[in-house]
Amino acid sequence: MNETTLPRLAVTAGEPAGVGPELLARLAASDLAADLVAITDRDLLAEAAARCGLALHLADDDGSRRTHRPAGHLRVRHVPLGAPVRFGRPDPANARHVLDMLGIAADGCLDGRFDAVVTGPVQKASINDAGISFSGHTEFFAERAGAEVVMMLASPELRVTLATTHLPLSAVPAAITPALLERTLRIVHDALRQHFGLASPRIAVLGLNPHAGEDGHMGREEIDTIIPLLERLRAGGMDLSGPLPADTAFVPAMRPRYDAVLAMYHDQALPVLKSEAFDRTVNVTLGLPFIRTSVDHGTALDLAGTGQANPASLFAATRLAIELARQRATV
């Protein structure tokens, strides 16, 4: 990508029986300044556009770059379905279709054919029901790229990263090790510099226990693990605050003091973010050698086929992908 060409984004439709194809059709109808390449079944996308009352001009992707994309024009990398789609009823026979979309998008980013990938929602259970072990987009892309990654949820007001993701609460304390925290903080710090253009990122680190342990009276993880690690990384030049009590870290007076938050577990911070900006929150995978953003909602099977699904999160994910791709091109 150069100053005159558009960022070339691979956009995967996700679960074919969910709302992803309809959201992608609405995205294509917009005039967002990106060369969008849909990775999906072409007929599925055309049918989704028709249900939404949209007239799209679909063309096969020839791999070339362009400087302008008229609204409603979309290039497609066709990935055939494995079975007919029934709205709201995911079919394990389409699991390979979903994974092939992700593989094409990832490989295209790795070899430079795409500047970023934006992913629609998938139905994990349907893929696992097909006998394929699948824990999520993040893990799929990490394995494909051979990278260690961190999940970030970003809204216009707040960036939250997670030390642990989908673990039961009973397993979280043992998972919070110095090695995990150091790896996570280094990935977050580097990504804030390289992708978000922050020369000296400020990261707030939450404690694990209520009141950040209250000097050991409510748990010793802060004293034994978190504080010594933060002191060592500060000595190496990182701007880290904490460990902070999670119940006060997000108040408006605190937010100007940091560029991102590291939470110890999934539900420690994400309810705050989603309650404020659910339809404007974007899932970003940090640590990959390419840019990946995603909607921060599920497949909405109850809305599939109705044309009523809200595309705001996909628009937000695409706008952020454009911003990050352009920032990366200047580094």
Side-chain angles (χ1 to χ4, degrees):
M1 183 177 68
N2 57 43
E3 293 182 357
T4 61
T5 58
L6 295 174
R8 197 169 138 79
L9 308 184
V11 187
T12 62
E15 166 56 50
V19 296
E22 294 174 7
L23 300 182
L24 203 166
R26 293 196 182 280
L27 179 70
S30 76
D31 60 356
L32 285 181
D35 182 7
L36 304 177
V37 180
I39 315 293
T40 185
D41 184 284
R42 183 175 179 140
D43 293 336
L44 177 69
L45 182 58
E47 292 165 3
R51 284 196 305 277
C52 295
L54 302 172
L56 297 187
H57 181 273
L58 305 180
D60 292 336
D61 177 36
D62 62 4
S64 64
R65 290 185 175 269
R66 56 186 177 182
T67 58
H68 176 65
R69 181 190 67 87
H73 286 241
L74 183 68
R75 292 197 273 192
V76 181
R77 176 69 185 269
H78 178 63
V79 182
L81 289 166
V85 169
R86 293 179 293 173
F87 302 130
R89 301 180 66 180
D91 189 336
N94 280 319
R96 181 49 56 190
H97 161 80
V98 173
L99 296 181
D100 285 348
M101 285 191 288
L102 300 183
I104 289 168
D107 293 346
C109 287
L110 288 169
D111 66 20
R113 286 181 288 123
F114 301 123
D115 299 311
V117 55
V118 181
T119 55
V122 297
Q123 192 78 5
K124 299 175 189 176
S126 182
I127 298 173
N128 284 287
D129 286 345
I132 303 170
S133 179
F134 180 81
S135 53
H137 279 109
T138 302
E139 295 81 3
F140 179 94
F141 287 130
E143 182 178 354
R144 196 83 171 197
E148 293 186 313
V149 300
V150 173
M151 181 187 293
M152 171 184 278
L153 282 299
S155 74
E157 299 82 15
L158 191 60
R159 302 184 188 101
V160 173
T161 59
L162 301 177
T164 64
T165 52
H166 300 119
L167 286 181
L169 281 177
S170 60
V172 170
I176 302 298
T177 64
L180 171 76
L181 292 180
E182 179 171 1
R183 175 185 69 82
T184 302
L185 282 167
R186 290 194 184 280
I187 291 172
V188 173
H189 185 267
D190 289 348
L192 290 172
R193 293 182 62 190
Q194 295 174 15
H195 300 325
F196 290 86
L198 301 172
S200 301
R202 302 164 302 161
I203 304 172
V205 180
L206 303 186
L208 173 65
N209 297 294
H211 300 180
E214 203 163 283
D215 296 325
H217 294 287
M218 290 191 183
R220 292 195 55 86
E221 286 83 2
E222 288 78 13
I223 293 173
D224 295 340
T225 302
I226 301 174
I227 292 174
L229 186 277
L230 296 186
E231 290 176 345
R232 179 161 62 83
L233 294 181
R234 287 191 193 106
M238 285 192 189
D239 187 344
L240 306 171
S241 57
L244 303 177
D247 61 347
T248 56
F250 299 105
V251 299
M254 291 289 291
R255 295 187 186 185
R257 305 180 189 181
Y258 53 73
D259 300 304
V261 175
L262 175 65
M264 293 297 111
Y265 56 93
H266 186 279
D267 282 8
Q268 187 179 43
L270 297 196
V272 175
L273 183 66
K274 293 188 178 186
S275 67
E276 290 186 358
F278 181 74
D279 61 352
R280 294 176 293 126
T281 299
V282 179
N283 187 332
V284 188
T285 305
L286 308 182
L288 292 171
F290 55 85
I291 294 161
R292 180 260 168 160
T293 66
S294 180
V295 298
D296 187 34
H297 60 69
T299 52
L301 298 177
D302 58 323
L303 292 176
T306 68
Q308 301 300 310
N310 185 348
S313 186
L314 183 60
F315 275 71
T318 305
R319 290 190 183 99
L320 183 56
I322 294 168
E323 177 185 335
L324 297 181
R326 291 203 176 282
Q327 172 64 32
R328 184 171 184 176
T330 65
V331 176

